[in-house]
Amino acid sequence: MKAIAVYEGGSEPVVIDKPRPEPSSGEALVRTLRVGVDGTDHEVIAGGHGGTPEGEDHLVLGHEAVGVVEDPNDTPFEAGDLVVPTVRRPPNGANEYFARGEPDMAPNGRYHERGIVGAHGFMAEYFTSPAEFLVGVPPSLAEWGFLIEPASITEKAVEHAAASRSAFHWEPESMLVLGNGALGLLTVAMLDDEFERIYCLGRRDRPDPTINVIESLGATYVNSNETPVPAVPDAHEAVDFVFEATGYAPHAFESIEALAPNGAAALLGVPGDWEFEIDGGRLHRELVLHNKALVGSVNSSYEHFEAAVESLSTLSESFLTDLVTGVYPLDEFEAAFEDDDTTIKTAVEFGAYEER
Amino acid sequence: MKAIAVYEGGSEPVVIDKPRPEPSSGEALVRTLRVGVDGTDHEVIAGGHGGTPEGEDHLVLGHEAVGVVEDPNDTPFEAGDLVVPTVRRPPNGANEYFARGEPDMAPNGRYHERGIVGAHGFMAEYFTSPAEFLVGVPPSLAEWGFLIEPASITEKAVEHAAASRSAFHWEPESMLVLGNGALGLLTVAMLDDEFERIYCLGRRDRPDPTINVIESLGATYVNSNETPVPAVPDAHEAVDFVFEATGYAPHAFESIEALAPNGAAALLGVPGDWEFEIDGGRLHRELVLHNKALVGSVNSSYEHFEAAVESLSTLSESFLTDLVTGVYPLDEFEAAFEDDDTTIKTAVEFGAYEER
C-alpha cells in the first residue's frame, strides 16, 4: 500500500510503499479515507519531534484521520463502520495513564503518538488499531471526520479550563481566541453557542479568508497589529476566557492582561525557547488579586474525541466548506503540505466513503 | 474604647479613642480578644492599599480577629459565643458576589475589606458585624482563633488549585511551599496529612526558628540561596503542588519549573510592578506539554473560614506555640508590628476569654 512518510534526516514528506498491516488480536484493520494536516505535521517534518518507531528509518505521518473498518477482526466493530483513531499509544504495554483512560495526562516517555513520535501515523491506505483507540463516527461525518482529532484538543482544553473555575460560580460570556489558524477557527465555531461574544485575534490584514470565516460565525476579528493582546480590554472588553492557539510565547503571559476578573486562559501552543521581558510583578499581582488562572493543555482522551464527534455534528456545512480549503488525492499530496494566505485547513484523501 | 488605627498620610499605627459601636439590626456586638498582624497590615500602614472609610481620616487596622459575642442583639448568636469575623463587606448594599456567598470572587470596587480598604478593622476593644459575617468557633480555639483568617486563605487557594486538577485523576504526593513566613508555615502544618513529602523554601540560614518549625513538622527546608526554585526538581523532586506565599514575582513563573507533570501552583503573593526577563518560550511550552496550571487566589469565603476552623483544630499546641512568637497587650502594641529574625507571627491582645 501507499503511505506518506518522512525519513530520518529527511526534510520533506514522500510517498512510500509498505506492506498492508495485519491486525493483531483486538485490532481492527481500517481503510483510510482522509487525513488532516496541521502544524504538528510540519514540526515533525522539520525534525522537531523526531521519533521514528524503534528500529525504523522513517515515520508514516498523520494523526488526524477518519477511516472505514475494512476487517473488524475480533473487535466489536463491523465492516463498514466509520471510525476515528485516537493518537496516543502505550509504549510498552499499558501504564496507569492508559488504564484510567487518560493517556493525554501521561508525561514524556509514557506514550507514543501515532504520526508524531514513536509510532507510525495514519497517512497510509490502511492502518490497524486496537478497538479501544477507535471512536465510532456517524456516516454524516465521513467527509469531515479528520477534524475530530483537532476538535478533541479543544474539548479537552475547554474542559480543563472550566474545571479550574469549578470552585465558584462561573458564567463566562466572552471569549478571546488567540490565533486564526484552523484550530482557532474551529474553536470559534464549536463554542459559538457557549459564549455571547467571541473575539478571534490574528495578524492578517483584510481581505483575508480567515477574517471572512470569523465574521460569518458572528465573531469579531481582532488584528493584533492594531490591537495587541493587552489592548483588547480597552478596545473591546476584558474577556472571561482566553483560548491560546498560536504558540507565540508572549501570548501566554499577555493573556493574563486580556482576562476579566475570575477568568481563565487555556494554553495550547508549543513554542521553542525564547527569552523576553515581562512585567512579572504586575502579571503575578493580577493573577492573584483577580483570581485568574492559566491552564496548559495537550492532547486529548477518548472522551474528548466522543465529545468532539457531538460538537462537529452541530457545525454548518458552509463553515466546514470554508474551513477546509483543500482536500488532495494521494498523487497531489504535496499540495496538502503547502501553506499560503489562502490555505486554512487541508487534508489528503486516500479513499472514498460509500455508505452501505 | 481604644482602637489601633492609621491616619491618612500617617506612617505608623497609633492608639486612638473611639465610641464603642452600636450594633444595628442583624448585627452583633463583639468584644475583641486577639487580632493578628500580617504583611497586609504593613502594606496598609505604608499606604499600599489606602482606603479609609468614606468621610473619615483614619482606618482602624486588623483583619485577623477572634472575639466573644457581648451583645447578640437580634442575631442567632448568644452572649459568650466565640466568633471570627470574615473580612469582605458589600460596599453599598449586597451585590451578586455576596448574595451567592462568594465575596472573595468580587472584583475591585465591589467590596470593602475591614481593616484594609473602605471599612474599619477589628483592632479595637469592640466591633460590630452582621451575623452572616461571623463564624462560630469552639472555645478550644479562643487563643488561636486569630489564625483562622490566614488559614482560610490557604483553604481557598488549595480548593481552587485542586479544582483546576479535577478534570482528571490527580493524587498529589509532594508540595513545595514558597515562603517560610507565618502563612507558609501554617500551610505546611495544615497540609501535613495531605502530602507525603513537603518542602518549604526560604532565604534564611541556620540557625533560624522557622527552619526549626519546618523540621519539627517533618518537612524539608530548602534554602533558596543554595537551591533556587528552578533547581528544586534536581535537588529534591519535581512537585505536584506549589503554594506561593512570598509575593516575590519571579516565583510565580519559576514555579512552573518546579512542578511535576500535571501539577498546579497556587499563587497568593501580591508584588508591585517589576520587569524582568523569563524564558517565556520554555515556560509556555512546559505549561502546555505537561498540562500544568497556575491559579491565582485572593481572600476567602465563609465556607473557607469554616474549613479553617476544622483545620486549625487539628494542629498541635506545640506548633501553634512555636508559630506565634508574640502576643502583646494594647499598651505594648508596637511590639506586634515589629519584625526581626525571631518574629514569626504576632497578635495584639485586647481582652481575655473566660469560658462560661
Side-chain angles (χ1 to χ4, degrees), chain A residues 88 97 100 102 104-108 111 156 159-160 163-171 244 246-253 256 261-262 267-285 287-299, chain B residues 88 97 100 102 104-108 111 156 159-160 163-171 244 246-253 256 261-262 267-285 287-299:
Chain A
R88 288 196 173 176
Y97 297 96
R100 61 171 90 106
E102 298 177 347
D104 54 311
M105 304 307 290
N108 261 344
Y111 60 81
K156 174 182 168 178
E159 184 196 31
H160 279 230
S164 81
R165 312 288 78 190
S166 64
F168 63 95
H169 177 88
W170 192 53
E171 220 169 329
E244 179 274 320
T246 60
Y248 180 73
H251 280 169
F253 306 94
I256 299 168
N262 308 335
L267 307 180
L268 290 89
V270 183
D273 289 355
W274 184 11
E275 298 197 2
F276 50 82
E277 200 164 77
I278 59 170
D279 188 339
R282 191 157 51 87
L283 296 179
H284 181 178
R285 186 174 71 242
L287 278 165
V288 173
L289 290 184
H290 285 129
N291 295 294
K292 297 180 180 180
L294 296 184
V295 181
S297 178
V298 70
N299 197 255
Chain B
R88 288 196 172 174
Y97 298 96
R100 61 172 90 106
E102 297 176 349
D104 54 310
M105 304 308 288
N108 261 345
Y111 60 82
K156 174 182 169 179
E159 185 197 29
H160 280 232
S164 81
R165 311 288 80 190
S166 63
F168 63 96
H169 177 89
W170 192 53
E171 220 170 328
E244 178 274 320
T246 60
Y248 180 73
H251 281 168
F253 306 94
I256 299 168
N262 309 335
L267 307 181
L268 292 90
V270 183
D273 289 355
W274 183 11
E275 298 195 3
F276 50 83
E277 200 165 78
I278 59 170
D279 187 339
R282 192 158 50 88
L283 295 179
H284 181 179
R285 186 174 71 244
L287 277 165
V288 172
L289 290 184
H290 285 130
N291 296 294
K292 297 180 180 181
L294 296 185
V295 181
S297 178
V298 69
N299 197 254

Side-chain angles (χ1 to χ4, degrees), chain A residues 97-138:
Chain A
Y97 297 96
F98 285 85
R100 61 171 90 106
E102 298 177 347
D104 54 311
M105 304 307 290
N108 261 344
R110 307 301 298 280
Y111 60 81
H112 288 157
E113 285 180 333
R114 293 196 64 165
I116 302 171
V117 57
H120 287 310
F122 307 116
M123 282 195 180
E125 290 175 288
Y126 296 88
F127 64 86
T128 56
S129 173
E132 65 191 286
F133 299 124
L134 293 173
V135 180
V137 173

